[in-house]
Amino acid sequence: PSIEDLLKKLEKNPNNINLIIDIADKYFSIQNYHSCMELLLDNYPKNKTKVKEKMVELFEVLGNSNEYTIMYRKKLSQIMFS
């Protein structure tokens, strides 16, 4: 399914963490890292463990020196400890 189709499904079921992860994976696969990470951060309160695990997995793929890893690891830390 396309990102648009998945987003429509998410509108109908906004708490579906598996769908959120699928959309994030789709964004990541087309190198839209900003949308991927923002979607995950926005949904962090819905399932903290799954979102954190997914973000850490993506950070590992991007590498520690990647600008998105650096920026979003910081944002994730801020949201986790706020």
Side-chain angles (χ1 to χ4, degrees):
S2 70
I3 289 177
E4 292 76 22
D5 292 341
L6 292 172
L7 289 171
K8 283 178 191 166
K9 282 186 187 175
L10 186 61
E11 282 177 24
K12 294 175 188 161
N13 194 354
N15 293 320
N16 184 336
I17 192 65
N18 294 320
L19 187 54
I20 291 163
I21 299 288
D22 288 347
I23 296 168
D25 283 340
K26 201 73 134 164
Y27 277 133
F28 194 84
S29 73
I30 60 168
Q31 298 182 0
N32 187 340
Y33 304 133
H34 175 77
S35 294
C36 170
M37 300 294 185
E38 288 295 326
L39 176 69
L40 290 170
L41 280 180
D42 289 346
N43 289 283
Y44 178 78
K46 294 177 185 172
N47 191 322
K48 295 175 180 175
T49 304
K50 271 196 168 180
V51 169
K52 181 180 151 225
E53 286 172 358
K54 178 46 93 173
M55 290 187 79
V56 168
E57 176 187 318
L58 298 176
F59 296 155
E60 288 173 5
V61 172
L62 290 172
N64 288 330
S65 59
N66 182 281
E67 65 180 302
Y68 289 99
T69 299
I70 294 165
M71 179 170 40
Y72 284 100
R73 186 175 275 151
K74 189 177 197 176
K75 288 185 178 194
L76 178 62
S77 292
Q78 288 170 339
I79 200 170
M80 283 172 59
F81 300 112
S82 63

